[in-house]
Amino acid sequence: MNPNKKRKIVPYLFIVPAFLLHACIVTVPALSTLVMSLFDWNGMNQAAFIGLQNFKEIFTEDKIVRLSVIHNIEWLLIFITVPLILGFVVAILVSQLRRSQMFFRTVYFVPYVISAAVAGKIWTAYMNPYYGLNQVFAKLGFENLSKVLWLGNPKIALAAVAFVDNWHWWGFIMVLFLGALQQVDPTLYEAARVDGANRFQELIHVSIPGIRQTIAFVLIMTVMWSFLTFDYVYIMTNGGPANATEIMATYIYKNAFVKYRAGYANALCVIQSGICILLYFFQKYVSKKGGLEDD
Amino acid sequence: MKNMKKFLSLCLAGAMVLSMAACGSSADNGEKEGSNKDAAGESGGNKQKIVISCGLADDSQTAVRQIYLDEPLKEAFPDVDIEFKMYNDRQSLQVEVAGGGGPDILSLDGPTDVAEFAKSDRVLPMDSYAEQYGWKDLFYDWAYDSCFYDGKLYSLPTSFEGMVLYYNEDVFKDHEWEVPETLEDLEKLMAEIKEAGIIPLSFGNANYQGAVDWLYSTFTSCYAGPDSIKAVMTGEGKFTDPAIKDSLQMMVDWWEKGYIGDNSSQAVTQEDMIAFFAEGRAAMMINGTWATSQLGTIYPDCNWNSIIMPAKEGEDAIFPLATGGGYAINANTENADLAAEVLNFLFTDYDNHYASIVDANYQPYPLKTFDMEKIKGVDEKVYEQYELLMDAQVDNRIGFCSWTFYPSEMRVYMNENTDAVFLGELSLDEYLEKAQTYVDEAIADGSVPILP
């Protein structure tokens, strides 16, 4: 074999093990989900091929799917704004600190390392109408606030759970932004100052362009994780009250393990993945157009 | 030197691929060995092995189980290695069984759960063992019959429970309230309790939506009557019939008036529900007979008592009954005969069973031979509750809890949507009509449970 050919082949040989591993534990199960979505299967029995029946039911009969997708979109809208803005602003503030930076970074990051099960339970207790935060509101004289059923009112339950997930999540975003901000070349700030830029102009013309790839990464992850989220909803409301917090992931879980409809759950997974992929490309397109990513 | 490096690189890459393949195959083998070990029953030496699944338990519960189940089994089967295997959640067991492994004896959630395993041929029909060991004569007919699916016996009932009305004696004493004897008394009393700033009926399902099945099972059984439910399940009646609709309308009305869960049941957890009752924030609660165990261990100072849900004036009070779980034999086992023998021992080891009820608050098996005299040492109020259960059976005043007597999909639908009816997001008519469609489907495919 001539040296040129060898040079081309050898790198592929190094990739082969990882590729095989990925194919076995990711690609094949993923494809099996696609295949099983065409079957009537309770998760244990001999699956019966039913073509596109599961998809037909999803699109024409199942009202909860539509509701779940809407809830996921609401969730996405919350997560693509609140933690990103909060994380970015606090990262900017913390990046200005010298001595106490580590302290604040740790304090804000701590909720992220608390397990969802523990944090979910703790916040469920805080949101209990009889002994939680409502009692504090009552003592402070906020009568109306003290009567709010945070997890029991279908109109606000999703926002209440999203608040808790945000509480856990924004510190992580802040640390990502902080790390990125510290990578921005300090001479760029000096140059901007020499040109007469104020703090806000530094932010717009140096900081944001300097961390645009991190912003694009966080956006893309937020978009996808918003559609894959499960833990806090499952722990805090179990999809209730009256399906007010039902999201795709909890609905898939219920179909697979409570209703014994694994085939249908697979079809829902396919829909969920499809939505994620569409959103991924949409977000990539918007990011490129907005200058957050390079072509 | 350069060639040598390339050669080494290729060798390393090749070795990685091979080692991964080897890992894969050894993992497969390991799994097979594991499942064989579980299913075939060989554990190291020559001893046969039987694995029995059980729910998650803490150290004290495990210690109790060792006294009343592990040790007696060890004594009765000295040549068999019998192990209880804890499962954190139901899906782990389901996945293991679906994968061709799993314990030899499965502890499942009850007849509706067993039916799903039976549909998939994941559990064995036990009719021949029933004949061999005389199980038909061992259990109460209602409990035994509920274990059939498609004409075959697939499980044996592991507990015997019902829905009762608990009341906090201290709260009643402080306010000089009388224990209600009729439905009319109860409704009048709840209005008074509410007026006094106390929750009439503690209820919460924030962390388990399905707890609503305690409510609708109780209301349909007690106020529509068991005959109405039976008619629905046999196809002679409909779930939309006035008797059933009225009973559930009453449930919705009580919730809306704040009698059930103070209009905030969706924000209150199951643990809080018991706590509110025990601490006197609520005066009563509709709960299962199993709650005595929680009350006794977590709230030993709570002075509680229980009655059957009061009936309408002039009618008999109905006790909604259920079997709490079922033991089934895994179709993957290679020791089915031995598993059946172990099951037979569990249900006929009377002395240990009675002792477990008295000493550890275990739920009784629904056995015809159950002797109330043998559990005299149990807490007085628990004893009275069992007396109510026995009397209801003797007098045929039994109602039907959904987790034993409703078709599986109907129950899932009702569990997921009852809150929507409470909150006014779904009309009762729509709810009942949809529930009826699941009964129709179950009747059509033969999966509708048999009601006594």
Side-chain angles (χ1 to χ4, degrees), chain B residues 370-388:
Chain B
F370 194 81
D371 186 354
M372 289 294 289
E373 288 298 313
K374 297 278 173 64
I375 59 162
K376 278 276 188 193
V378 79
D379 179 280
E380 196 186 325
K381 287 163 189 171
V382 176
Y383 185 84
E384 283 169 14
Q385 215 177 55
Y386 287 142
E387 271 189 329
L388 291 176

Side-chain angles (χ1 to χ4, degrees), chain A residues 149 151-157 239-245, chain B residues 205 209 212 251-253 255-256 260-267 416-428 431:
Chain A
L149 297 173
L151 300 175
N153 182 343
K155 291 190 177 85
I156 57 165
N243 302 314
T245 59
Chain B
N205 65 336
Q209 277 174 282
V212 287
M251 173 182 79
V252 176
D253 291 344
W255 191 91
E256 284 173 352
I260 299 175
D262 199 24
N263 297 121
S264 54
S265 54
Q266 295 83 10
E416 284 183 353
N417 290 281
T418 303
D419 274 331
V421 180
F422 286 154
L423 294 162
E425 306 213 333
L426 178 69
S427 76
L428 184 58
Y431 169 79

Side-chain angles (χ1 to χ4, degrees), chain B residues 19-86:
Chain B
S19 65
M20 275 167 198
C23 284
S25 97
S26 73
D28 285 351
N29 290 341
E31 201 172 294
K32 272 180 196 158
E33 277 165 26
S35 67
N36 282 344
K37 204 155 84 176
D38 282 356
E42 295 299 325
S43 78
N46 293 324
K47 267 188 170 184
Q48 285 184 298
K49 186 168 184 176
I50 289 289
V51 180
I52 305 172
S53 75
C54 64
L56 202 61
D58 61 26
D59 287 348
S60 63
Q61 288 166 324
T62 305
V64 168
R65 195 201 65 215
Q66 276 168 347
I67 297 169
Y68 298 108
L69 293 176
D70 296 43
E71 290 302 325
L73 279 167
K74 201 182 278 179
E75 221 170 276
F77 297 90
D79 299 327
V80 183
D81 184 6
I82 298 175
E83 181 200 326
F84 280 86
K85 187 176 175 186
M86 281 194 271

Side-chain angles (χ1 to χ4, degrees), chain B residues 21-281:
Chain B
C23 284
S25 97
S26 73
D28 285 351
N29 290 341
E31 201 172 294
K32 272 180 196 158
E33 277 165 26
S35 67
N36 282 344
K37 204 155 84 176
D38 282 356
E42 295 299 325
S43 78
N46 293 324
K47 267 188 170 184
Q48 285 184 298
K49 186 168 184 176
I50 289 289
V51 180
I52 305 172
S53 75
C54 64
L56 202 61
D58 61 26
D59 287 348
S60 63
Q61 288 166 324
T62 305
V64 168
R65 195 201 65 215
Q66 276 168 347
I67 297 169
Y68 298 108
L69 293 176
D70 296 43
E71 290 302 325
L73 279 167
K74 201 182 278 179
E75 221 170 276
F77 297 90
D79 299 327
V80 183
D81 184 6
I82 298 175
E83 181 200 326
F84 280 86
K85 187 176 175 186
M86 281 194 271
Y87 284 83
N88 289 355
D89 44 43
R90 274 284 291 99
Q91 69 265 28
S92 318
L93 179 66
Q94 188 183 325
V95 169
E96 213 173 285
V97 172
D104 303 84
I105 295 173
L106 309 176
S107 174
L108 300 174
D109 290 344
T112 52
D113 195 27
V114 174
E116 292 295 335
F117 282 73
K119 265 184 214 170
S120 320
D121 297 325
R122 294 294 176 188
V123 288
L124 294 176
M126 301 198 284
D127 303 80
S128 58
Y129 298 123
E131 207 170 307
Q132 183 183 342
Y133 295 110
W135 285 340
K136 186 171 172 41
D137 298 326
L138 191 63
F139 298 96
Y140 279 115
D141 291 343
W142 69 267
Y144 185 73
D145 291 345
S146 73
C147 296
F148 279 77
Y149 169 74
D150 206 15
K152 290 178 192 161
L153 178 76
Y154 280 100
S155 64
L156 293 175
T158 52
S159 69
F160 173 31
E161 59 199 23
M163 300 305 302
V164 290
L165 179 69
Y166 288 88
Y167 60 94
N168 187 318
E169 288 187 318
D170 291 338
V171 175
F172 270 58
K173 201 174 158 191
D174 289 348
H175 293 82
E176 296 176 347
W177 290 324
E178 295 287 324
V179 178
E181 287 180 1
T182 63
L183 175 63
E184 293 74 17
D185 291 345
L186 177 61
E187 287 191 308
K188 207 173 142 200
L189 175 65
M190 286 193 296
E192 266 183 67
I193 295 173
K194 181 89 182 142
E195 193 68 31
I198 293 172
I199 303 168
L201 293 165
S202 185
F203 185 69
N205 65 336
N207 54 344
Y208 173 53
Q209 277 174 282
V212 287
D213 64 1
W214 306 348
L215 296 178
Y216 66 72
S217 295
T218 302
F219 279 82
T220 49
S221 291
C222 299
Y223 303 122
D227 289 341
S228 303
I229 313 284
K230 212 167 167 178
V232 172
M233 299 307 166
T234 52
E236 289 160 20
K238 296 278 179 200
F239 210 62
T240 49
D241 287 347
I244 291 176
K245 187 182 171 185
D246 291 348
S247 68
L248 291 175
Q249 185 62 58
M250 186 195 293
M251 173 182 79
V252 176
D253 291 344
W254 286 15
W255 191 91
E256 284 173 352
K257 286 178 187 170
Y259 293 169
I260 299 175
D262 199 24
N263 297 121
S264 54
S265 54
Q266 295 83 10
V268 171
T269 62
Q270 294 261 279
E271 294 77 21
D272 286 337
M273 168 186 170
I274 301 257
F276 289 176
F277 169 77
E279 290 160 3
R281 197 190 289 268

Side-chain angles (χ1 to χ4, degrees), chain B residues 437-452:
Chain B
T437 62
Y438 292 112
V439 182
D440 293 339
E441 281 171 22
I443 291 173
D445 69 19
S447 64
V448 70
I450 300 165
L451 270 59

Side-chain angles (χ1 to χ4, degrees), chain B residues 331-349:
Chain B
N332 301 321
T333 184
E334 289 182 12
N335 283 322
D337 293 349
L338 182 58
E341 199 183 337
V342 167
L343 280 182
N344 188 59
F345 173 79
L346 284 174
F347 288 108
T348 53
D349 183 22

